PDB file of all heavy atoms in Angstrom:
ATOM      1  N   HIS A 296      88.537   8.964 -19.543  1.00 91.00           N
ATOM      2  CA  HIS A 296      89.634   8.013 -19.403  1.00 91.00           C
ATOM      3  C   HIS A 296      90.937   8.498 -20.028  1.00 91.00           C
ATOM      4  O   HIS A 296      92.008   7.978 -19.708  1.00 91.00           O
ATOM      5  CB  HIS A 296      89.233   6.674 -20.010  1.00 91.00           C
ATOM      6  CG  HIS A 296      88.125   5.989 -19.278  1.00 91.00           C
ATOM      7  ND1 HIS A 296      87.433   4.918 -19.792  1.00 91.00           N
ATOM      8  CD2 HIS A 296      87.574   6.238 -18.057  1.00 91.00           C
ATOM      9  CE1 HIS A 296      86.506   4.540 -18.928  1.00 91.00           C
ATOM     10  NE2 HIS A 296      86.568   5.325 -17.881  1.00 91.00           N
ATOM     11  N   SER A 297      90.866   9.489 -20.887  1.00 92.00           N
ATOM     12  CA  SER A 297      92.084  10.010 -21.501  1.00 92.00           C
ATOM     13  C   SER A 297      92.893  10.867 -20.527  1.00 92.00           C
ATOM     14  O   SER A 297      94.063  11.169 -20.788  1.00 92.00           O
ATOM     15  CB  SER A 297      91.741  10.831 -22.747  1.00 92.00           C
ATOM     16  OG  SER A 297      90.902  11.927 -22.400  1.00 92.00           O
ATOM     17  N   ARG A 298      92.254  11.244 -19.392  1.00 97.00           N
ATOM     18  CA  ARG A 298      92.937  12.093 -18.416  1.00 97.00           C
ATOM     19  C   ARG A 298      93.359  11.272 -17.206  1.00 97.00           C
ATOM     20  O   ARG A 298      92.691  10.309 -16.835  1.00 97.00           O
ATOM     21  CB  ARG A 298      92.008  13.219 -17.949  1.00 97.00           C
ATOM     22  CG  ARG A 298      91.552  14.135 -19.072  1.00 97.00           C
ATOM     23  CD  ARG A 298      90.965  15.436 -18.574  1.00 97.00           C
ATOM     24  NE  ARG A 298      89.936  15.268 -17.558  1.00 97.00           N
ATOM     25  CZ  ARG A 298      88.850  16.034 -17.483  1.00 97.00           C
ATOM     26  NH1 ARG A 298      88.632  16.974 -18.400  1.00 97.00           N
ATOM     27  NH2 ARG A 298      87.974  15.857 -16.521  1.00 97.00           N
ATOM     28  N   PRO A 299      94.470  11.661 -16.558  1.00 97.00           N
ATOM     29  CA  PRO A 299      94.890  10.961 -15.343  1.00 97.00           C
ATOM     30  C   PRO A 299      93.948  11.256 -14.181  1.00 97.00           C
ATOM     31  O   PRO A 299      93.292  12.308 -14.157  1.00 97.00           O
ATOM     32  CB  PRO A 299      96.290  11.516 -15.080  1.00 97.00           C
ATOM     33  CG  PRO A 299      96.292  12.866 -15.733  1.00 97.00           C
ATOM     34  CD  PRO A 299      95.416  12.724 -16.945  1.00 97.00           C
ATOM     35  N   HIS A 300      93.856  10.325 -13.238  1.00 98.00           N
ATOM     36  CA  HIS A 300      93.039  10.535 -12.050  1.00 98.00           C
ATOM     37  C   HIS A 300      93.644  11.652 -11.198  1.00 98.00           C
ATOM     38  O   HIS A 300      94.873  11.735 -11.055  1.00 98.00           O
ATOM     39  CB  HIS A 300      92.949   9.242 -11.241  1.00 98.00           C
ATOM     40  CG  HIS A 300      91.887   9.273 -10.190  1.00 98.00           C
ATOM     41  ND1 HIS A 300      92.067   9.874  -8.965  1.00 98.00           N
ATOM     42  CD2 HIS A 300      90.615   8.769 -10.187  1.00 98.00           C
ATOM     43  CE1 HIS A 300      90.952   9.739  -8.241  1.00 98.00           C
ATOM     44  NE2 HIS A 300      90.054   9.080  -8.961  1.00 98.00           N
ATOM     45  N   ARG A 301      92.800  12.477 -10.631  1.00 96.00           N
ATOM     46  CA  ARG A 301      93.267  13.650  -9.884  1.00 96.00           C
ATOM     47  C   ARG A 301      94.104  13.262  -8.665  1.00 96.00           C
ATOM     48  O   ARG A 301      94.963  14.029  -8.226  1.00 96.00           O
ATOM     49  CB  ARG A 301      92.080  14.504  -9.440  1.00 96.00           C
ATOM     50  CG  ARG A 301      91.107  13.788  -8.522  1.00 96.00           C
ATOM     51  CD  ARG A 301      89.915  14.636  -8.135  1.00 96.00           C
ATOM     52  NE  ARG A 301      89.021  13.911  -7.230  1.00 96.00           N
ATOM     53  CZ  ARG A 301      89.206  13.822  -5.918  1.00 96.00           C
ATOM     54  NH1 ARG A 301      90.235  14.449  -5.350  1.00 96.00           N
ATOM     55  NH2 ARG A 301      88.363  13.139  -5.163  1.00 96.00           N
ATOM     56  N   LEU A 302      93.875  12.077  -8.096  1.00 97.00           N
ATOM     57  CA  LEU A 302      94.633  11.619  -6.937  1.00 97.00           C
ATOM     58  C   LEU A 302      95.562  10.457  -7.283  1.00 97.00           C
ATOM     59  O   LEU A 302      96.752  10.470  -6.992  1.00 97.00           O
ATOM     60  CB  LEU A 302      93.690  11.173  -5.809  1.00 97.00           C
ATOM     61  CG  LEU A 302      92.823  12.232  -5.123  1.00 97.00           C
ATOM     62  CD1 LEU A 302      91.912  11.562  -4.107  1.00 97.00           C
ATOM     63  CD2 LEU A 302      93.709  13.267  -4.439  1.00 97.00           C
ATOM     64  N   PHE A 303      95.005   9.441  -7.906  1.00 98.00           N
ATOM     65  CA  PHE A 303      95.688   8.155  -7.968  1.00 98.00           C
ATOM     66  C   PHE A 303      96.664   7.999  -9.128  1.00 98.00           C
ATOM     67  O   PHE A 303      97.391   6.991  -9.198  1.00 98.00           O
ATOM     68  CB  PHE A 303      94.669   7.021  -7.970  1.00 98.00           C
ATOM     69  CG  PHE A 303      93.775   7.049  -6.764  1.00 98.00           C
ATOM     70  CD1 PHE A 303      92.410   6.821  -6.888  1.00 98.00           C
ATOM     71  CD2 PHE A 303      94.297   7.317  -5.509  1.00 98.00           C
ATOM     72  CE1 PHE A 303      91.583   6.854  -5.777  1.00 98.00           C
ATOM     73  CE2 PHE A 303      93.487   7.355  -4.380  1.00 98.00           C
ATOM     74  CZ  PHE A 303      92.128   7.120  -4.515  1.00 98.00           C
ATOM     75  N   ALA A 304      96.721   8.977 -10.014  1.00 98.00           N
ATOM     76  CA  ALA A 304      97.775   8.949 -11.028  1.00 98.00           C
ATOM     77  C   ALA A 304      99.132   9.210 -10.382  1.00 98.00           C
ATOM     78  O   ALA A 304     100.174   8.884 -10.956  1.00 98.00           O
ATOM     79  CB  ALA A 304      97.492   9.975 -12.109  1.00 98.00           C
ATOM     80  N   ASP A 305      99.113   9.781  -9.173  1.00 98.00           N
ATOM     81  CA  ASP A 305     100.337  10.113  -8.448  1.00 98.00           C
ATOM     82  C   ASP A 305     100.805   8.903  -7.635  1.00 98.00           C
ATOM     83  O   ASP A 305     100.145   8.486  -6.678  1.00 98.00           O
ATOM     84  CB  ASP A 305     100.080  11.310  -7.524  1.00 98.00           C
ATOM     85  CG  ASP A 305     101.358  11.874  -6.915  1.00 98.00           C
ATOM     86  OD1 ASP A 305     102.267  11.074  -6.594  1.00 98.00           O
ATOM     87  OD2 ASP A 305     101.435  13.104  -6.744  1.00 98.00           O
ATOM     88  N   ARG A 306     101.957   8.335  -8.013  1.00 98.00           N
ATOM     89  CA  ARG A 306     102.506   7.164  -7.325  1.00 98.00           C
ATOM     90  C   ARG A 306     102.731   7.438  -5.839  1.00 98.00           C
ATOM     91  O   ARG A 306     102.473   6.566  -4.990  1.00 98.00           O
ATOM     92  CB  ARG A 306     103.816   6.761  -7.995  1.00 98.00           C
ATOM     93  CG  ARG A 306     104.520   5.542  -7.423  1.00 98.00           C
ATOM     94  CD  ARG A 306     105.751   5.250  -8.283  1.00 98.00           C
ATOM     95  NE  ARG A 306     106.463   4.037  -7.883  1.00 98.00           N
ATOM     96  CZ  ARG A 306     107.503   4.025  -7.058  1.00 98.00           C
ATOM     97  NH1 ARG A 306     107.943   5.172  -6.530  1.00 98.00           N
ATOM     98  NH2 ARG A 306     108.104   2.882  -6.758  1.00 98.00           N
ATOM     99  N   ASN A 307     103.201   8.640  -5.491  1.00 98.00           N
ATOM    100  CA  ASN A 307     103.450   8.949  -4.084  1.00 98.00           C
ATOM    101  C   ASN A 307     102.161   8.962  -3.268  1.00 98.00           C
ATOM    102  O   ASN A 307     102.162   8.554  -2.100  1.00 98.00           O
ATOM    103  CB  ASN A 307     104.167  10.297  -3.952  1.00 98.00           C
ATOM    104  CG  ASN A 307     105.623  10.218  -4.365  1.00 98.00           C
ATOM    105  OD1 ASN A 307     106.272   9.191  -4.178  1.00 98.00           O
ATOM    106  ND2 ASN A 307     106.138  11.299  -4.942  1.00 98.00           N
TER     107      ASN A 307
END
Side-chain angles (χ1 to χ4, degrees):
H296 294 167
S297 60
R298 299 196 309 217
H300 193 279
R301 61 182 181 83
L302 293 177
F303 302 137
D305 190 323
R306 181 176 184 265
N307 286 327

